Amino acid sequence: MRPERLGWGFRLAVLWIVLVVGAALTADLLPLPDHDATLSGEPGTGPAPGHPLGTDGLGRDLLSRTVHGARVSLGVGLGAVLLGLLIGGPLGLLAGYRRGPLDRIVMTANDVLLAFPAMVFALAVVAFAGPSVRNVLIVLGLLGVPAWVRLIRGVTLSYGRREFVTAARALGARGRTVMWREIAPNVVPPALSYAFTLMAVVVIAEGALAFLGLSVQPPTPTWGGMINDGRSTLDTAAHIVVVPSAAMFLTVLALNLVGDRLQELTGHRPGGLEPARPRRRTAPPSAPVVHRDGPLLEVSDLRTAFATPRGPLHAVDGVSFALERGRTLAIVGESGSGKSVLIRSVLGLLPDTAERTGHARLGDRDLTGDTRGVLGTRMAAVFQDPMTALNPVRTIGTQVTEPLRVHLGMTRRRSREEAERLLASVGIPEPRRVLRSYPHQLSGGMRQRITIAMALSCDPEVLFADEPTTALDVTVQKQIMRLLHRQRDERDMAMVLVSHDLSVVADHADEVIVMYAGRAVEYGPTQAVFTAPRMRYTEALLRAVPDLSAPNHTRLAVIDGRPPDLVAPPSGCRFHPRCPFARDRCRSDEPPLTSHHDRSHACWYPAHEPEGAHHGR
Ligand code: SF4
């Protein structure tokens, strides 16, 4: 946060808050008359020597009483905010992170509490329990809990979908670790801004209760009580009301200004998929499984669906593949074709309530139940945006050494040395300095190299790279792809590469799966598929790649129409509404993924007919 972004209003507000808090804390040490000494001056007079803000109706010094009154107002404000945060913070964090039944219970209770008229409730409780600072603080603190729950839950939901959280989970971090180490530190900035705003509300509420005589009792001064004292002499000695009112007004204004400015500077934008709910299986029959000799990673009939208000969205619908050590499998397709959901399904990084069926196996380990113990060690992932794949509030060193200490049991010192070696191996200059940096101090390319180093830290057998170069400029893209390719060869690992860039796939992948509307529509060796595509969608996709050698003003080929609605996909071949070769059969019958030698395709009328194949026309 640069100082010039804060503005003068913010600085003045902070100055006022510091002044009031400082005065309240040191009130007994300041050279002020006793706040309760009656007739220390002429009653009800304005500013005079010895009484810069005048005296009240009993001749007590108004400045002294205002300063001592700040203790109550700010003390209750701070105490109530902390009490609300202490209860609402963990509840919101748990509800937002765990989701499911806990979230529903917490939020239902929260909504009920929010429906209570807060001030009436406070008046009733304080009147019943007796007017005292403690009772006022507890009541106002408890009344703030629902708002805290709502805020912290919202922020947690938002951050829970960020890539650095997924990346942490992909490195094997689970449950409480992710919640407290990855999400909680990011909740602090919005919570801090809200704390100021809420404190302003509490100061006003305490003032209102004091005005009604329901806060701390005389002789301790409070701003609300002072306003109440002066209202009978408003026409003759208005300053008795004006002084505490001005103190309260300026303090509330300053707290709101600071809260609003902090919110602007730390604002977050929720996003991501709707939470999914379990659904009954309604998907069409699965595609046949492709078997190969000795695959390291084997995925069979994988299906993943998310609940939407209109019904289940079939993001991945019966995909199967197998991958051997030392090879790269690319998954290509338009946005929304299910590429990323497919690899997150294999990695076990879906929301708890998403429905996933089918089988996945890594060597001798079944990945169907959960991927604990394998994620971050035998399988690792690199995600699209290095800006969000690293936790912004933790140093690079903390993030890179964590998997080394957690999974490999290294000491702090040893993990630091290993982290330096890892960063150097992915081409980062001055690794020792970089380990002390925060993500925002590094370029996009450097950040992506770091996420790769983190993914490789435990020597995985399979690396999943989800659009690893999309957020980078062209030169850096090539460097990152070369780095991934080199690491794959050096470590003899398998790589699953999700990309929409067909030139990257052509250069780096041995095999390719083409996905359309959640289904694998073509699968085979990259060179063969790209040279002689069979499925009409693959053909159209390849034609849409810009040809840099084409003459100027050559019209770019595009695929007409839009990807289908995955809640209600078209009948028959899902590509038929956009396919210029579609016939009646395409509209009524779904083409199965049929295999011929080392290739498979799902098309009734393929562009290049496999030898000896006959679908019947
Ligand atoms: S099955 Fe028919 S509609 Fe689908 S890609 Fe092939 S030709 Fe086109």
Side-chain angles (χ1 to χ4, degrees), residues 183-443:
I183 297 177
N186 288 287
V187 171
V188 173
L192 188 67
S193 77
Y194 182 65
F196 278 95
T197 312
L198 185 61
M199 199 163 153
V201 174
V202 174
V203 167
I204 292 175
E206 189 282 330
L209 289 172
F211 183 82
L212 297 170
L214 293 174
S215 184
V216 64
Q217 295 299 296
T220 308
T222 64
W223 289 346
M226 288 169 69
I227 295 170
N228 191 18
D229 290 345
R231 79 193 152 91
S232 56
T233 54
L234 199 56
D235 47 348
T236 54
H239 68 282
I240 299 175
V241 170
V242 169
V243 170
S245 299
M248 188 187 285
F249 170 75
L250 288 174
T251 305
V252 168
L253 182 68
L255 289 168
N256 275 320
L257 268 172
V258 172
D260 287 350
R261 194 77 187 105
L262 286 177
Q263 190 184 28
E264 280 171 31
L265 295 171
T266 62
H268 67 98
R269 190 160 46 88
L273 282 167
E274 270 297 299
R277 293 192 191 90
R279 65 165 174 88
R280 289 182 58 200
R281 182 173 167 144
T282 55
S286 64
V289 181
V290 178
H291 293 290
R292 296 177 176 214
D293 287 331
L296 173 66
L297 178 68
E298 210 169 357
V299 170
S300 155
D301 194 21
L302 195 70
R303 295 167 192 270
T304 302
F306 296 96
T308 73
R310 295 190 300 121
L313 183 152
H314 306 282
V316 175
D317 210 352
V319 174
S320 306
F321 65 84
L323 179 61
E324 289 165 27
R325 197 179 278 280
R327 294 180 72 80
T328 298
L329 168 72
I331 302 170
V332 302
E334 291 167 295
S335 296
S337 59
K339 309 184 295 288
S340 295
V341 178
L342 171 61
I343 66 163
R344 280 164 204 248
S345 304
V346 178
L347 287 163
L349 293 177
L350 294 167
D352 289 343
T353 46
E355 190 194 14
R356 185 190 78 163
T357 58
H359 299 281
R361 174 170 287 279
L362 175 67
D364 55 351
R365 173 71 148 79
D366 185 5
L367 304 175
T368 308
D370 79 66
T371 52
R372 210 171 303 197
V374 180
L375 204 54
T377 51
R378 295 179 65 187
M379 294 196 300
V382 175
F383 293 100
Q384 181 174 352
D385 189 354
M387 296 287 284
T388 55
L390 292 167
N391 193 327
V393 297
R394 304 179 73 203
T395 62
I396 300 297
T398 319
Q399 299 186 61
V400 178
T401 55
E402 188 164 297
L404 297 168
R405 287 192 282 118
V406 172
H407 295 308
L408 304 182
M410 288 186 187
T411 60
R412 196 171 288 272
R413 185 195 173 94
R414 174 85 184 82
S415 65
R416 200 86 185 169
E417 290 166 1
E418 180 62 16
E420 275 183 41
R421 192 195 64 75
L422 268 170
L423 293 202
S425 77
V426 294
I428 289 188
E430 298 183 73
R432 187 168 295 185
R433 181 187 60 78
V434 171
L435 285 175
R436 289 195 300 269
S437 311
Y438 283 89
H440 72 271
Q441 296 172 299
L442 307 174
S443 68

Side-chain angles (χ1 to χ4, degrees), residues 534-538 572-583 585-587 589-591 602-607:
R534 289 175 182 166
M535 207 285 185
R536 296 291 183 177
Y537 172 66
T538 313
C573 172
R574 293 181 180 186
F575 187 55
H576 87 250
R578 306 169 73 187
C579 179
F581 304 94
R583 302 185 205 174
R585 188 182 189 185
C586 304
R587 294 178 193 97
D589 302 338
E590 180 158 8
C603 179
W604 292 126
Y605 307 105

Side-chain angles (χ1 to χ4, degrees), residues 530-576:
F530 280 16
T531 311
R534 289 175 182 166
M535 207 285 185
R536 296 291 183 177
Y537 172 66
T538 313
E539 187 187 40
L541 207 58
L542 287 165
R543 234 186 248 137
V545 176
D547 181 0
L548 296 181
S549 62
N552 287 349
H553 308 299
T554 302
R555 228 180 137 81
L556 280 177
V558 291
I559 306 176
D560 289 332
R562 292 178 171 203
D565 177 0
L566 295 184
V567 175
S571 60
C573 172
R574 293 181 180 186
F575 187 55
H576 87 250

